[in-house]
Structures are given as C-alpha cells and as structure tokens.
Amino acid sequence: RTSRISPVQALGDTVALPESSIRRRFAGGVLAVVAGGAAAGTGLFGSVHHSGYWVGGGLLAVLLGVTAASPIVCRPFLVGARWLAAKAFSAVGNLAGQASLPNPRRTTATASALMIGLALACTRAIVGSSAKASVNDTIAKNFIGDYVVGSNFGQPFSTAIARKVARVPGVQQVVRQRYAFVEA
C-alpha cells in the first residue's frame, strides 16, 4: 500500500491509513505492554532461570507496545501539552500545539524515534556505569596496595624507578611487576 504513495504525497497530511489499522495497532500495543510487564515482573520478582532475559525482553516488549499504541494514547496528552504550551508561550505555544494535533501518527513517530534513541543512550550509560562499578569493586577487593606506578603508554620503563620509590619516606614495601603481550 505504501509503494503506491508518491514521496511528495507522503510528506503532506493528505495520506491517511485506514482507521481499522490504527485500532489493530493499538490492540497489539496494549497486548505487548501487558505481556512485557508480566515478563518483566516475572523476571524481577519470580524465581525463573535467566531472569535478566525475562526483564530485558519484557522491557523491550513494553517499549515496542508503547510505540505501537502511542497514536491513540497520545491524543489526550497532546491536547494537554497544547494547553500548557499556549499558557506558557502564548501564540507560539498555541501554534506549536496545534501543529501536533492533526496527525498524531506523525507526532508519535517522531516522539517514538526520540524515545528509542533515549532508551538506547540510557541503556548504554547504565551498562557502562555498571561495568565501571564492577571493575572498581573487583580492584577494591583484590588490590591491597595504596599506589600503582606505571607507564601511561604501556611501555616498560627503568627498573631504577622501583628502587627510587622504595627509598621514599613512608613506603614500606614495593612489589615489582612486569608484563608483556604475546601473540600466539
């Protein structure tokens, strides 16, 4: 059906998909949100193997379900946002709010793209922070020294440095360690 629409026609508001497709999309979205919520809840509070997969899969289903159901769900939010924007920014806010109302599918498609991008960026930040905390925790539990003297460039340096560090007042013990990368 979309292949019969010209690109210029697709840019305008005149192209509308049948109302039945938006109802099916809404029903599928609500079903995905409910199923995803149940899966995430099972992973968080149930005793299942690989609970992380349950939680991740459930959250993905919720994200996709909200994206699918958003053209219908968003209309009351768009009306409220238009009212708030009109109060806060007068004519400019009212115009911006009116622009979002005629085609909620276009508005939610834009918002969904932003939502997915934000979810991916947050997920990456969470995974990175978790990895950093895990490494810091491992070092804190396994490293009993106070300082590490090393080369920032990964190159070896003189062994005389260890002797100089050992002579610094307050240093009780120096452990010398060398490593090398070997290709097999």
Side-chain angles (χ1 to χ4, degrees):
R1 179 173 35 193
T2 58
S3 65
R4 293 188 300 260
I5 299 171
S6 70
V8 173
Q9 188 182 12
L11 292 173
D13 287 337
T14 58
V15 177
L17 295 174
E19 195 63 32
S20 62
S21 71
I22 200 167
R23 288 190 196 116
R24 284 192 305 265
R25 184 175 163 177
F26 176 72
V30 169
L31 182 65
V33 167
V34 170
T42 301
L44 286 172
F45 304 112
S47 58
V48 293
H49 292 293
H50 306 294
S51 61
Y53 291 124
W54 284 82
V55 173
L59 293 179
L60 179 64
V62 168
L63 181 70
L64 294 175
V66 167
T67 302
S70 60
I72 289 182
V73 174
C74 81
R75 182 162 294 279
F77 293 113
L78 290 175
V79 170
R82 175 184 170 221
W83 182 80
L84 284 173
K87 291 294 181 192
F89 303 106
S90 62
V92 174
N94 188 33
L95 185 62
Q98 286 177 348
S100 66
L101 287 175
N103 193 344
R105 283 186 180 190
R106 182 180 60 207
T107 303
T108 57
T110 304
S112 295
L114 290 171
M115 176 183 66
I116 290 169
L118 185 60
L120 290 173
C122 288
T123 300
R124 183 175 177 189
I126 290 168
V127 168
S129 179
S130 176
K132 181 179 176 183
S134 295
V135 168
N136 288 343
D137 186 52
T138 301
I139 290 172
K141 287 180 180 174
N142 296 314
F143 183 72
I144 56 173
D146 293 325
Y147 297 101
V148 174
V149 177
S151 171
N152 284 337
F153 304 107
Q155 299 295 320
F157 51 86
S158 172
T159 56
I161 292 176
R163 289 189 295 273
K164 290 179 182 179
V165 169
R167 283 183 265 160
V168 171
V171 173
Q172 296 174 355
Q173 184 179 12
V174 174
V175 176
R176 293 162 181 87
Q177 180 179 357
R178 290 190 147 210
Y179 65 92
F181 297 105
V182 178
E183 291 185 26

